[in-house]
Amino acid sequence: MSDDTAYVVFTPSGRRGRFEVGTPILECARRLGVDLDSVCGGRGMCGRCKVIVAEGEFPKHQINSGPVSVSRLSAAEEKYDSIRGLNGLRLSCNTKLLADVVIDVPAESQVHKQVVRKRAESRAITLDPVVRPYYVEVDKPDIHHPSGDYQRLAKALKRDWDVTLDDTDLYVLRQLQNVLRAGDWKVTAAVRRSLGKYDEIVGLWPGLKSRLLGAAIDVGTTTVSMQLVDMSAGEVLAVAGAMNPQIRFGEDLISRVSYVMNKPESVVEMAAVVSDCINGLIAETCAVAGAEPTDVIELVLVGNPIMHHLVLGVSPSELGLAPFALATNQEVKVYAEDDLNLNTCIGARAYFLPCIAGHVGADAAAVVLSEGPHLSDEITLLVDVGTNAEIILGNRDRLFAASSPTGPAFEGAEISCGQRAAPGAIERLRIDRETLEARYKVIGCELWSDEGGFEEAVASTGVTGICGSGIIEALGEMFLAGILQKDGVIDGALANRFPVVRPEGETSSYLIRGGERPIRVIQADVRAIQLAKAALYAGARLLMDQMGIDKVDRISLAGAFGSHIDTKYAMLLGMIPDCPLDKVSSAGNAAGTGARIALLNRKARDEIEELTQRIEKIETAVEPLFQEHFMKAIAIPNDSERFPNLERIVNLPRPAESETVQVTRSKVSRRKQRKIRLSDG
């Protein structure tokens, strides 16, 4: 080979080739198709293209690599090093090839780098956002060669980045000339791939702007949460949440649908209050990240079907009546500012994931995207526990989806001393098997109630009630201690020996904490949880029937409530089917994570759009077997199903010979049937 060329090998990709001496390493990478980032186009400004010059002998490649294989630090690198620090790395755009060399591209310098979530079963997110920044230096106007500013900007993007602009919006033209001149003809263009390539400018700034922000937003019935993300690095910069202000129109979904039915014009107001809430979250997270709301260039939103419609200002009235027709079940793409009144970059788009069915929404689609059951051979049950539980079952071969009207009991509503999860709420509970007295933990305090200093530690908040995770553990412990029978009846006979069991008219109650504001579990509380957990189990069991299986390999509980309940107690009460407990886990805010995946990877959008079309939807309200499974699931843990995996770690109480769940069935059945009709419209 000619002495005027040198051989370069890139790791970890393994791509290699021979180039003329003096060729910038970044150019070598581009010509070989190496995944190496750059925003400034090789001007030594952005620092995205940092590489490591490997040192030592590499017999496999017959290369002796080291600092002498490349040029010395350039002036641009020395300036960058003095300001931000190179830490031994090199800017590949300013590092020239002198001799055979091995170049390592670290993960942070890769365009399609992977962001690995912490849980072992989680998916890695390959960064490939729909919007990317491009720094260009635009030719100045020339009276001898007349052309528009936009045409010269388009020419620069094509020249430096091989980007062909396909379209632009009027707002870009309105600001274009001022931005070009403010930046002395050096600008950063945010270009969006709306037709499969980078083809549309959605943002424009003077000078170099290497960081573009995105927002992943989960609009829940009760709360709205948001993650502010650096779309180039995949880093979550700030997280914030707030109560959904639509609560004043109704605590639950059906109340809000009824409100719209009675007052159709309220849709506009309900959309506006959510937009105001999201604007508050944008302002809050941007302040934490040291950014401006106008830096937010892309948003992804998820929510259940009713929230999906209400955010868009679409009436959800049809979702309150069979056949529960959605206005659209496909993805929705709108302008964040013009269509949703959000304070973002003027060209920002908002992308709503597709819904799966009338009561299985974009949030469930996001959970699927996050947990990836369609990528596994294992039969996975995903349950997003909420007022209306959304259930997904399946694997790479088939996926089923359903919703189940669990009601608000899991969130503390319909419970006599129940409350939402907040400081002062009991969240953990254990019962002494000898005295039947309870000890507990409350949110905001690390001490158990029987530990020294507990009362002083909770003095500021008090012990104010019991939240969803607390009531689940309370009932589970009551069952294990023999206070609660299999049919859900509190055993009043124990009142003769244990003062914590007390008569309550024709029924009994269990006292958790005495005092001026006693906290107790009454019989109606038990019934409310029985109804909710039976509906949840019946929905899951119905999908198992559809798939022709009797057991699942893995269970993942999503949502705020699902993240905090103890999986052992969830199975003990019969909320979920039997499964090895080490295969039952919390997915955290999986809907929010799915939204973030769709924000950071454009191919994930194609993936979920295709996937939702082949998920098989089951409507629990019209399935006869749902009622049958529901009736059996009222018992604790179940009237007919066995739980062998649970029995290996928990000694389940044996029911007395005379004990039966039949005594309460007719009453519960009538009540539950009414509840199902209300929940499903």
Side-chain angles (χ1 to χ4, degrees):
M1 288 291 182
S2 167
D3 292 337
D4 293 333
T5 64
Y7 194 60
V8 58
V9 176
F10 288 94
T11 61
S13 67
R15 302 199 177 209
R16 65 202 69 184
R18 186 169 289 278
F19 299 91
E20 290 185 3
V21 168
T23 304
I25 296 297
L26 178 60
E27 183 179 336
C28 298
R30 284 179 173 171
R31 287 162 62 180
L32 290 172
V34 174
D35 192 9
L36 181 55
D37 202 0
S38 176
V39 172
C40 68
R43 295 172 176 84
M45 301 165 64
C46 68
R48 292 284 181 82
C49 66
K50 290 192 287 285
V51 296
I52 300 168
V53 178
E55 295 188 47
E57 293 187 13
F58 296 85
K60 176 181 177 181
H61 306 299
Q62 297 182 337
I63 291 177
N64 190 352
S65 176
V68 296
S69 301
V70 295
S71 59
R72 301 177 65 178
L73 283 177
S74 67
E77 288 179 290
E78 289 176 345
K79 181 179 180 180
Y80 186 96
D81 190 34
S82 66
I83 298 173
R84 302 184 191 177
L86 281 172
N87 300 316
L89 280 68
R90 298 293 302 272
L91 298 181
S92 63
C93 61
N94 272 248
T95 304
K96 297 180 179 179
L97 183 65
L98 297 182
D100 295 352
V101 68
V102 173
I103 299 291
D104 182 49
V105 181
E108 59 268 24
S109 297
Q110 296 170 19
V111 176
H112 302 100
K113 61 181 77 69
Q114 288 192 334
V115 180
V116 181
R117 292 165 56 206
K118 293 181 180 179
R119 293 187 296 112
E121 72 276 18
S122 300
R123 298 175 62 190
I125 305 173
T126 300
L127 294 188
D128 186 17
V130 72
V131 181
R132 288 202 66 203
Y134 292 99
Y135 175 85
V136 290
E137 296 182 0
V138 181
D139 293 338
K140 295 180 180 180
D142 186 341
I143 195 170
H144 300 293
H145 302 283
S147 64
D149 286 347
Y150 177 77
Q151 283 67 40
R152 280 179 279 105
L153 172 60
K155 180 181 177 182
L157 285 166
K158 180 66 176 177
R159 177 194 67 214
D160 293 351
W161 298 102
D162 196 27
V163 168
T164 302
L165 292 182
D166 198 59
D167 195 8
T168 191
D169 285 322
L170 181 59
Y171 75 86
V172 173
L173 292 179
R174 285 172 174 166
Q175 63 174 315
L176 175 62
Q177 293 189 309
N178 288 338
V179 171
L180 283 170
R181 285 153 182 82
D184 191 26
W185 308 99
K186 302 175 182 68
V187 296
T188 300
V191 187
R192 192 175 198 275
R193 283 173 282 191
S194 56
L195 297 174
K197 59 182 183 295
Y198 297 108
D199 58 7
E200 183 180 8
I201 297 178
V202 294
L204 198 63
W205 298 269
L208 174 67
K209 184 179 183 65
S210 60
R211 186 173 77 167
L212 296 182
L213 304 185
I217 303 168
D218 179 10
V219 183
T221 310
T222 306
T223 58
V224 181
S225 62
M226 174 180 151
Q227 303 172 63
L228 185 71
V229 182
D230 180 338
M231 290 197 296
S232 296
E235 179 185 1
V236 177
L237 303 175
V239 177
M243 295 293 291
N244 187 329
Q246 288 180 347
I247 282 178
R248 69 172 182 260
F249 301 100
E251 281 271 337
D252 55 43
L253 293 173
I254 298 305
S255 298
R256 293 179 207 177
V257 173
S258 298
Y259 191 92
V260 174
M261 287 178 169
N262 294 325
K263 193 177 179 182
E265 67 275 13
S266 65
V267 170
V268 175
E269 186 181 0
M270 295 175 82
V273 296
V274 173
S275 293
D276 289 343
C277 177
I278 294 174
N279 279 330
L281 297 179
I282 291 172
E284 180 181 344
T285 53
C286 284
V288 171
E292 296 294 329
T294 51
D295 292 333
V296 178
I297 195 73
E298 185 79 8
L299 303 93
V300 172
L301 295 94
V302 300
N304 61 59
I306 292 172
M307 287 299 97
H308 172 276
H309 280 38
L310 287 175
V311 173
L312 289 168
V314 176
S315 173
S317 297
E318 292 298 325
L319 294 171
L321 300 165
F324 317 116
L326 289 153
T328 179
N329 62 300
Q330 293 183 338
E331 69 282 357
V332 177
K333 305 167 187 176
V334 297
Y335 282 94
E337 183 184 63
D338 291 348
D339 298 318
L340 300 180
N341 295 314
L342 297 181
N343 300 328
T344 59
C345 176
I346 192 172
R349 307 293 203 271
Y351 173 89
F352 289 75
L353 264 68
C355 292
I356 296 174
H359 285 290
V360 187
D363 52 350
V367 171
V368 172
L369 192 56
S370 172
E371 296 301 293
H374 57 294
L375 304 175
S376 173
D377 291 322
E378 286 187 318
I379 303 293
T380 300
L381 176 68
L382 303 178
V383 183
D384 193 344
V385 187
T387 304
N388 195 63
E390 294 171 316
I391 307 166
I392 307 289
L393 176 74
N395 59 7
R396 68 172 72 251
D397 297 322
R398 295 181 78 183
L399 283 176
F400 294 87
S403 65
S404 200
T406 52
F410 289 147
E411 296 178 352
E414 296 187 353
I415 305 300
S416 59
C417 294
Q419 68 167 86
R420 299 195 188 281
I426 294 173
E427 63 172 342
R428 295 281 177 262
L429 187 142
R430 299 291 181 268
I431 294 177
D432 185 281
R433 301 297 187 263
E434 299 295 327
T435 66
L436 300 190
E437 293 182 352
R439 64 188 187 96
Y440 46 83
K441 290 181 71 175
V442 302
I443 296 174
C445 178
E446 292 300 315
L447 299 174
W448 284 84
S449 60
D450 59 346
E451 293 182 293
F454 173 80
E455 294 297 336
E456 293 78 9
V458 299
S460 61
T461 62
V463 181
T464 53
I466 186 165
C467 66
S469 62
I471 194 67
I472 294 300
E473 293 193 11
L475 266 57
E477 283 286 304
M478 288 169 66
F479 179 61
L480 293 176
I483 301 169
L484 197 61
Q485 298 175 353
K486 183 179 177 68
D487 61 357
V489 173
I490 298 174
D491 188 356
L494 295 172
N496 297 325
R497 293 181 291 136
F498 301 99
V500 290
V501 180
R502 302 185 175 187
E504 294 283 341
E506 296 181 358
T507 62
S508 302
S509 67
Y510 173 71
L511 183 68
I512 295 174
R513 178 183 173 89
E516 293 183 5
R517 297 179 59 188
I519 297 174
R520 58 186 181 168
V521 176
I522 65 174
Q523 189 64 63
D525 298 337
V526 180
R527 291 294 182 237
I529 294 297
Q530 282 182 282
L531 292 171
K533 72 97 175 179
L536 182 59
Y537 185 91
R541 197 66 184 82
L542 187 64
L543 294 190
M544 292 169 67
D545 290 344
Q546 294 289 331
M547 197 164 189
I549 59 173
D550 291 319
K551 63 180 181 178
V552 298
D553 299 318
R554 183 170 73 91
I555 299 175
S556 186
L557 302 175
F561 175 70
S563 301
H564 289 93
I565 58 175
D566 187 310
T567 55
K568 180 181 76 173
Y569 289 97
M571 191 176 294
L572 175 63
L573 288 187
M575 290 174 59
I576 54 177
D578 185 64
C579 182
L581 273 172
D582 62 351
K583 290 287 190 175
V584 183
S585 62
S586 166
N589 183 15
T593 299
R596 182 159 60 93
I597 292 172
L599 178 70
L600 294 174
N601 187 288
R602 64 189 179 100
K603 293 180 181 177
R605 302 185 185 190
D606 296 334
E607 178 185 355
I608 197 61
E609 289 166 15
E610 183 276 329
L611 191 60
T612 53
Q613 296 302 309
R614 64 181 179 89
I615 293 176
E616 300 174 56
K617 297 87 175 176
I618 307 300
E619 185 53 66
T620 58
V622 297
E623 287 288 338
L625 279 177
F626 178 83
Q627 193 69 19
E628 181 180 331
H629 287 309
F630 169 76
M631 295 307 303
K632 292 177 181 178
I634 291 171
I636 301 174
N638 194 285
D639 192 25
S640 62
E641 302 282 348
R642 288 197 61 236
F643 288 73
N645 287 291
L646 179 65
E647 290 170 357
R648 292 190 184 100
I649 60 171
V650 176
N651 292 321
L652 295 179
R654 294 185 177 277
E657 289 294 326
S658 60
E659 189 179 328
T660 174
V661 299
Q662 299 294 330
V663 294
T664 58
R665 277 192 174 179
S666 60
K667 179 179 178 182
V668 171
S669 177
R670 287 193 298 272
R671 180 179 176 187
K672 185 60 187 179
Q673 288 174 17
R674 174 177 172 272
K675 195 176 185 67
I676 291 172
R677 286 197 297 271
L678 287 173
S679 297
D680 289 336

